[in-house]
Each structure stands twice: as C-alpha cells, then as structure tokens.
Amino acid sequence: MTRKHLVLLGDSVFDNHAYVAQGGAVVHHLGRMLPPDDRVSLLAVDGDVSQNIPGQLQKLPSDVTHLAMSVGGNDALGCLPALDASCGSVLEALSRLNELQRQFTNSYRLAVSAVARLGLPCMVCTIYDRVPRLTPPLWTALSLFNDVITREVIRLRLDALDLRELLLDAQDYSVVSPIEPSDVGGRKIASALHHWLQTTESSNGTR
C-alpha cells in the first residue's frame, strides 16, 4: 500500500497551535489518527490569506501525495472596515459587497488554481460561519466568500469539506479566540480529513 503524506495549506484553521492546549492542534490530532506509515505536514500559517498560498506551495515536500487547503477567513476579516462603512442605499451596499467578492474571487482563484495544477488529490474547506456572537449581517457577508469557494471547487472538480456543517457548536471554537477552532473543533476537522485521506487514492501528480 502506498504511503500517504498529507500537507495542510492555508491559515489558522489548520495552524491553530496558539489557540489550544499543547497537543490539541489539528495537525496533532491528525498525527495520532494516521497509520504509522502515513504522514501529515503543516505549511498553513496563522494569519495568511489566499495570496500567500503560492508561497506555501513552494515549500511542499517532494513526497506529498495529498493536499488540504483552508483559506479565506482572513481575507474576509480584512474586509471588515469596508463592511462597516455607511451606504446611502441598499443598492449601494450591494455594489460594495459585489466589489469585495470580485476582489476575493481574483485572489482565491489564483490560489486554488495553483493547487489544482499539481494534480494531487485535494480537499478544500469552506469558511465556517457559526462563530459565537457572529452577527447576522456578517453571517450574510461570509456567504459571499463561501460562494466563491464552492464555485471554484466545482469548477476544478476538487473535494470539499464544508466547515459550515462541521463546526456547529460553541465548544468547537477556542476560548482564547472565538474565531479559531478549539481542541474539539480541531478534532472534528482532523477526523474528517483522516476519513477523506484513507478513502482517497494517491495520484502521481505533476511534480
């Protein structure tokens, strides 16, 4: 049986060391779940945005067989000042949201296309939206970013992990920072990735 080496790309959804107790990050949970011959490596960086993905890909180990990417949440956070600005009408507000979505589409498409070109099995995550105390307007705004992600996943025929349907409870989010996965949430993410990894065949890719 071919050994599998999963590489995690993206942001603090995977690189959540700073928000959980020692040994409670996603990569740690995955490491304990995997068979002895399989590996997981973390290239995701807390705070990174979609524009950082090509740089992360430059650090890929030569024996990588599978990829998982979770990015976009920090892109959305960067839009908060624009979302808080006043508008003269609903139509003007929608026009502003359309521009933010267009900008994210451009950067995210470059990122996910670079990942897809490697020809490796890849799991792409949506942005979770059950963060404690998330306001309804911001919940709606996140749907614009998730629309981009799901469209790109379909366009490129990649696998998807919908974190909106996985991290549903308050305990899934860290008490250190409510926008980060907790130990419980990280274990859920790791379990979903573990199941996908064990049921997905390796690919020779283009590396």
Side-chain angles (χ1 to χ4, degrees):
M1 184 177 295
T2 304
R3 295 180 180 180
K4 297 179 179 179
H5 185 176
L6 171 64
V7 174
L8 306 179
L9 305 167
D11 54 30
S12 57
V13 172
F14 292 153
D15 183 25
N16 65 324
H17 295 80
Y19 310 103
V20 294
Q22 186 174 0
V26 171
V27 68
H28 297 140
H29 289 302
L30 259 172
R32 290 189 288 268
M33 294 175 184
L34 293 178
D37 289 340
D38 290 350
R39 295 178 55 203
V40 57
S41 294
L42 179 69
L43 292 183
V45 178
D46 184 5
D48 271 10
V49 296
S50 54
Q51 291 181 342
N52 297 119
I53 295 299
Q56 293 181 13
L57 291 175
Q58 293 179 4
K59 303 174 184 178
L60 281 178
S62 60
D63 63 343
V64 57
T65 63
H66 294 71
L67 298 167
M69 184 178 77
S70 184
V71 74
N74 291 319
D75 298 74
L77 284 174
C79 295
L80 283 178
L83 292 173
D84 197 42
S86 60
C87 291
S89 67
V90 173
L91 186 60
E92 182 182 346
L94 289 174
S95 296
R96 183 168 299 170
L97 289 173
N98 175 263
E99 176 60 21
L100 294 176
Q101 187 183 51
R102 185 191 64 79
Q103 293 173 2
F104 179 64
T105 298
N106 292 339
S107 61
Y108 190 84
R109 177 168 290 177
L110 288 173
V112 73
S113 295
V115 171
R117 281 195 297 270
L118 295 173
L120 297 170
C122 182
M123 176 71 86
V124 177
C125 300
T126 60
I127 305 169
Y128 43 65
D129 58 8
R130 299 299 180 92
V131 173
R133 297 184 297 279
L134 184 70
T135 63
L138 292 180
W139 188 88
T140 300
L142 273 181
S143 69
L144 300 176
F145 291 83
N146 277 316
D147 180 66
V148 172
I149 294 172
T150 53
R151 284 175 180 270
E152 290 302 308
V153 167
I154 294 170
R155 180 178 71 88
L156 296 168
R157 299 182 180 179
L158 302 174
D159 293 323
L161 175 58
D162 195 349
L163 297 182
R164 294 170 296 184
E165 296 299 321
L166 187 66
L167 304 190
L168 299 172
D169 305 315
Q171 64 178 356
D172 294 330
Y173 299 91
S174 173
V175 296
V176 178
S177 173
I179 63 172
E180 311 293 349
S182 66
D183 184 301
V184 174
R187 192 180 304 114
K188 287 184 177 181
I189 295 171
S191 180
L193 291 174
H194 173 250
H195 175 75
W196 170 75
L197 186 65
Q198 299 309 307
T199 56
T200 305
E201 293 299 320
S202 301
S203 169
N204 290 330
T206 58
R207 302 193 72 239

